[in-house]
Amino acid sequence: MEETTQNNVISMPRIGDKAPSFKAVTTQGNINFPQDYSGRWVILFSHPADFTPVCTSEFMTFASLEDKFAEANCKLVGLSVDGLYSHIAWLRTIKDKIEYKGMKNVEVKFPLIEDITMNVAKTYGMIQPNEDSTKAVRAVFFIDPKGVIRAMIYYPLSLGRNFEELYRVLVALQTADAFNVATPADWNPGDDVIVPPAGSCGTAKDRMEGKEDMKCYDWFFCTKELDKEKIKKALFGKKSEKIIMN
Ligand code: BEZ
């Protein structure tokens, strides 16, 4: 979608769109996005500025959870409109100097994109001028192994993200794909799931008559149990025994 406000063309990708492609310089070398991540999930997220407190708390938290996301076949890619040397200096400061909530010596190993032209940030709708015209908001894009945007969350500058929620969203999307179900409010692995996925009626009459293994609250609202171990096996395969999933 493209929208024109005064002199700015603002592009807003939508759920279901192919993630816009770009090449960029990062703290881990050059990337060709999203092609380099084909076959994996990837979370592309932006932050307003290096050397700022909320962003520092977020990077330390996300870096500490990187292995957990990797186990779920998901890579992390950060972005801000700062330059590469600022990124490098900030990440080094985090590693060498910052101890926060029990996290210390935190090494950010995932790529952090430099976007001084703001080209990527504008393409992804991360510059939201009524919030700030020179900094990216805290955007999060969940992109699937085929390069399709599956979920997006935007937060304002003042609000640090909840990274357990980002993990929950990732696992919920993967579970919906693997089992052809939808996930209800506040779902976590082990909770009942919704069948069939929202938007289709399926065999409502059969279900209301109890012909399938489901609990129906009304003809349009049926759930079934989905064991956490089944989800772990489907999502993590052989590694599943070692995975701790909340
Ligand atoms: C922060 O990360 O602390 C921050 C960055 C930009 C504006 C406001 C807060």
Side-chain angles (χ1 to χ4, degrees):
M1 184 178 79
E2 283 204 347
E3 185 185 311
T4 306
T5 61
Q6 293 168 341
N7 303 324
N8 280 333
V9 174
I10 301 172
S11 147
M12 295 290 290
R14 291 170 293 196
I15 292 174
D17 288 354
K18 280 270 182 193
S21 299
F22 61 84
K23 292 191 170 129
V25 173
T26 85
T27 49
Q28 303 290 328
N30 296 345
I31 59 169
N32 184 12
F33 194 90
Q35 286 79 358
D36 286 352
Y37 297 90
S38 174
R40 294 175 183 278
W41 287 78
V42 55
I43 294 179
L44 173 67
F45 69 102
S46 57
H47 70 277
D50 298 346
F51 292 101
T52 52
V54 178
C55 302
T56 300
S57 69
E58 289 192 317
F59 262 68
M60 294 184 76
T61 309
F62 223 176
S64 306
L65 293 170
E66 187 179 3
D67 289 348
K68 182 169 168 163
F69 281 83
E71 281 165 352
N73 191 29
C74 182
K75 294 286 189 184
L76 312 177
V77 179
L79 176 149
S80 82
V81 303
D82 299 290
L84 184 63
Y85 295 108
S86 165
H87 285 343
I88 291 169
W90 179 46
L91 299 187
R92 190 176 300 148
T93 303
I94 287 176
K95 180 167 185 308
D96 293 349
K97 294 195 179 154
I98 312 279
E99 185 169 346
Y100 173 70
K101 283 197 167 175
M103 297 178 278
K104 64 175 184 179
N105 269 321
V106 174
E107 197 170 342
V108 175
K109 296 183 191 139
F110 55 80
L112 174 51
I113 294 169
E114 80 154 6
D115 189 29
I116 40 182
T117 61
M118 297 199 205
N119 283 341
V120 179
K122 283 182 178 165
T123 304
Y124 273 83
M126 294 164 172
I127 304 294
Q128 305 200 357
N130 292 331
E131 175 71 349
D132 196 307
S133 58
T134 60
K135 293 181 178 68
V137 296
R138 301 181 197 279
V140 189
F141 292 87
F142 296 81
I143 298 166
D144 75 12
K146 292 185 176 147
V148 174
I149 297 172
R150 299 291 300 279
M152 312 183 282
I153 313 180
Y154 292 94
Y155 299 74
L157 270 48
S158 62
L159 177 59
R161 286 162 276 208
N162 180 321
F163 291 89
E164 292 297 340
E165 167 63 3
L166 302 190
Y167 184 75
R168 190 190 76 90
V169 171
L170 175 73
V171 170
L173 290 167
Q174 294 182 346
T175 300
D177 287 357
F179 295 94
N180 193 29
V181 295
T183 47
D186 296 334
W187 180 85
N188 270 299
D191 294 343
D192 290 356
V193 293
I194 291 179
V195 284
S200 62
C201 296
T203 54
K205 185 167 171 289
D206 285 354
R207 284 185 268 127
M208 289 305 286
E209 287 168 3
K211 288 188 184 152
E212 290 183 46
D213 181 22
M214 298 182 202
K215 180 174 182 187
C216 286
Y217 299 88
D218 204 331
W219 62 267
F220 61 91
F221 183 6
C222 296
T223 61
K224 70 172 181 183
E225 288 180 10
L226 180 54
D227 188 65
K228 196 192 273 193
E229 294 307 312
K230 264 192 182 169
I231 297 176
K232 280 166 66 170
K233 278 209 180 87
L235 271 45
F236 307 117
K238 285 190 190 137
K239 292 177 291 178
S240 68
E241 276 161 30
K242 292 188 201 135
I243 305 285
I244 299 164
M245 211 168 51
N246 302 331

